[in-house]
Amino acid sequence: MHGIRMFETGFSDGVPGVTQCPIAKNDTYTYEFTATQYGTTWYHSHYSLQYTDGLLGPLTIYGPASVVDYDDALEPLMLADRIHQGAFGRWTWVTVENHNPPIPMDTILINDHGSAAGKFQNLRYRTKKVTKGKKYLLRLINASTDTAFIFSIDQHKMTVIGTDLVPITPYLKDTLYIGIGQRYHVIVEADAIDECRNYWIRTQPATGCHNFNFEPNERQGIFVYNEDNHDDPISTPYVPPYNGDCRDEEHKVLRPVVEWQVPPPTPDQLRKVQSPWMVLKQDNFTMPPEEGHDGTNDPKWSAWQIHDDPAWVNYKDLTINHLNGSHTWPANAALFEIRRNESNWAYMVIDGAHQPKESGTPLGEKTVPAAHPMHLHGHDFALLKQSYTKLDDKLFDGNHTADLQKFIETELEYNNPARRDVVLLPKGGYIVIAFKVDNPGAWLLHCHIA
Ligand SMILES: [Cu+2]
């Protein structure tokens, strides 16, 4: 249940090895939780590549809305990349049959409709008929494995009213950045000049945040005024100056309707274990030995990691079963222990650009600059800073507390900051997030590229 807070029901969070065993074939599992927010999200398997192959769906929690300036709603739109051959098949083809990684995607779908590599053109997604002069709520979900989209409808502007599960002060856009796992509520007025025609819905992969092995067709959806018109629309896209790069919506315009304030951290709070300084890097990595398998002759894998460990969970020893007060944790759980503190806020600087010590880096281990849609379970976080440029190295070296204090005072947003559950860690940049420590459990923080 992506982005559902699971407030005091962490055992229903659905992460294999952390909160439960994977559900066995022909078995069932019931997730119990209280819906604490209204809006749009999705559910998906958290096991291996299953959601890439379609084990997912939209989830709407109905309730009062902050902005009701619309006449009707379209069904939720799940935007997704896919592999026509099947993700497990392609994975085997690359890893076992020794073809070259990385594994490319080849298809863009909207609610499971779309052409694959130019075939099945007539399978494009068509909305229900819209009526000129009416306003429609669109609930957009990026359910991709490896693609950030720039979403637009030709010749129609969007009023953005919600990010993830949070209503925001409305703002107007013609193209919308939507990263993996993120959701947006937008209102579109059917105000086209020619209502006999239909208009392209575009899902353009953002530069640097996709991996297609050919130029994908961004036109997989049609905004339908005229149900009898089955011709391809002739509408034209918004012409850049918009930036086609991999970005999020500017976080300073994502202002929650229900305002909140975040207390500034102390330098120690930003530095301490409770607020880890994280580095995402790729490493040549051998899986830890298991019962009946010592692993010494295993091939080296390349794995992403936060700090020094790629999380390696044990289905027989769930992380959540260690929440008994003993403070002993499974080996290789890549775990950060966060205790309640005086302010009840935790802070994290997540840095994608460099390691604390670049010198002496073991062979085969390096920081790989890449963009990562970071997702935190069990909490909405406040986005205090999203930087597309590199973090100043010296801030965290322990010798520049005055500079760090100045950074805290001048660089971070505390007054009604953006509140959401997925944020893009820009390539070569960093983010600073904060969240209330109010939901005990074992919670995953992960990049949502599946
Ligand atoms: Cu998710």
Side-chain angles (χ1 to χ4, degrees):
M1 248 70 67
H2 178 108
I4 295 286
R5 275 209 72 198
M6 295 295 168
F7 188 61
E8 296 178 347
T9 57
F11 47 84
S12 272
D13 197 38
V15 183
V18 176
T19 62
Q20 68 172 94
C21 302
I23 305 166
K25 203 173 167 183
N26 297 326
D27 211 346
T28 63
Y29 190 93
T30 305
Y31 295 94
E32 284 181 47
F33 63 95
T34 307
T36 56
Q37 284 161 286
Y38 304 114
T40 295
T41 187
W42 54 308
Y43 63 91
H44 60 81
S45 167
H46 228 285
Y47 179 82
S48 190
L49 293 166
Q50 284 183 340
Y51 97 65
T52 309
D53 278 350
L55 197 43
L56 77 177
L59 185 65
T60 303
I61 299 160
Y62 292 99
S66 299
V67 177
V68 289
D69 183 24
Y70 56 86
D71 302 294
D72 197 3
L74 301 186
E75 63 178 350
L77 297 182
M78 296 197 86
L79 323 173
D81 53 11
R82 288 284 180 271
I83 297 169
H84 190 57
Q85 173 193 4
F88 285 99
R90 182 72 64 86
W91 174 262
T92 309
W93 183 75
V94 169
T95 55
V96 181
E97 295 171 32
N98 276 327
H99 292 87
N100 275 342
I103 298 171
M105 311 301 290
D106 55 26
T107 304
I108 298 175
L109 300 181
I110 298 177
N111 286 359
D112 291 339
H113 288 66
S115 67
K119 287 177 257 174
F120 317 113
Q121 297 276 7
N122 56 351
L123 289 183
R124 284 175 172 142
Y125 179 77
R126 293 167 69 90
T127 64
K128 72 175 180 181
K129 176 181 158 46
V130 301
T131 305
K132 184 162 174 168
K134 293 215 157 136
K135 290 180 178 174
Y136 294 87
L137 173 68
L138 272 62
R139 291 164 285 175
L140 308 173
I141 304 161
N142 186 345
S144 287
T145 293
D146 198 18
T147 308
F149 288 117
I150 302 171
F151 179 90
S152 62
I153 303 173
D154 289 356
Q155 291 161 50
H156 292 76
K157 284 191 186 294
M158 295 172 274
T159 304
V160 185
I161 62 164
T163 52
D164 298 348
L165 287 170
V166 179
I168 58 164
T169 306
Y171 69 97
L172 202 63
K173 270 313 272 294
D174 43 28
T175 54
L176 187 77
Y177 298 101
I178 173 164
I180 300 172
Q182 292 180 337
R183 291 87 66 210
Y184 282 93
H185 276 195
V186 303
I187 295 171
V188 175
E189 185 172 357
D191 59 358
I193 298 163
D194 186 350
E195 68 207 84
C196 299
R197 290 200 177 141
N198 299 324
Y199 296 82
W200 287 120
I201 296 173
R202 291 177 196 262
T203 44
Q204 178 194 339
T207 306
C209 276
H210 69 81
N211 177 33
F212 287 90
N213 51 3
F214 56 91
E215 187 65 37
N217 189 339
E218 69 194 38
R219 296 165 299 174
Q220 300 301 345
I222 299 174
F223 195 61
V224 175
Y225 284 79
N226 182 349
E227 284 176 305
D228 301 325
N229 182 345
H230 288 272
D231 296 338
D232 274 0
I234 53 166
S235 59
T236 51
Y238 286 98
V239 181
Y242 73 81
N243 187 332
D245 288 350
C246 188
R247 306 180 72 80
D248 269 349
E249 288 293 295
E250 168 54 52
H251 72 91
K252 293 196 173 174
V253 304
L254 308 178
R255 295 289 185 183
V257 169
V258 179
E259 297 194 3
W260 67 336
Q261 312 295 327
V262 177
T266 63
D268 262 2
Q269 275 180 308
L270 264 201
R271 271 196 300 238
K272 274 196 305 196
V273 180
Q274 289 96 312
S275 45
W277 181 25
M278 297 180 180
V279 175
L280 291 154
K281 55 192 175 185
Q282 270 191 318
D283 192 5
N284 277 340
F285 161 73
T286 317
M287 293 187 183
E290 288 180 317
E291 216 176 287
H293 177 88
D294 73 3
T296 41
N297 295 320
D298 282 359
K300 295 268 193 189
W301 296 87
S302 177
W304 292 97
Q305 58 191 55
I306 294 178
H307 270 179
D308 296 325
D309 274 314
W312 176 253
V313 292
N314 182 348
Y315 294 156
K316 289 183 181 167
D317 184 19
L318 306 179
T319 312
I320 200 167
N321 288 344
H322 289 253
L323 293 174
N324 55 7
S326 68
H327 301 285
T328 58
W329 308 106
N332 306 103
L335 191 129
F336 301 106
E337 201 176 316
I338 296 177
R339 312 263 194 111
R340 276 185 196 255
N341 53 30
E342 322 77 61
S343 75
N344 277 339
W345 283 84
Y347 303 85
M348 288 183 178
V349 180
I350 306 179
D351 175 15
H354 67 282
Q355 296 171 234
K357 291 188 203 68
E358 290 283 4
S359 61
T361 303
L363 209 62
E365 179 179 313
K366 60 179 188 224
T367 309
V368 178
H372 298 275
M374 298 305 296
H375 174 47
L376 178 64
H377 286 223
H379 309 75
D380 274 352
F381 53 76
L383 186 52
L384 307 185
K385 174 103 181 167
Q386 180 178 38
S387 172
Y388 292 83
T389 54
K390 197 169 180 288
L391 183 66
D392 184 356
D393 288 9
K394 70 175 186 299
L395 289 179
F396 291 90
D397 68 2
N399 300 322
H400 292 83
T401 301
D403 293 310
L404 182 56
Q405 185 62 45
K406 189 166 169 234
F407 174 82
I408 287 168
E409 283 167 17
T410 59
E411 293 289 323
L412 306 182
E413 183 68 55
Y414 306 106
N415 180 25
N416 202 23
R419 172 182 161 186
R420 61 186 325 172
D421 56 62
V422 186
V423 60
L424 182 78
L425 170 61
K427 179 178 178 177
Y430 65 95
I431 52 177
V432 183
I433 63 172
F435 56 92
K436 256 186 199 164
V437 184
D438 62 357
N439 196 10
W443 304 107
L444 211 57
L445 170 72
H446 66 98
C447 168
H448 215 295
I449 296 175

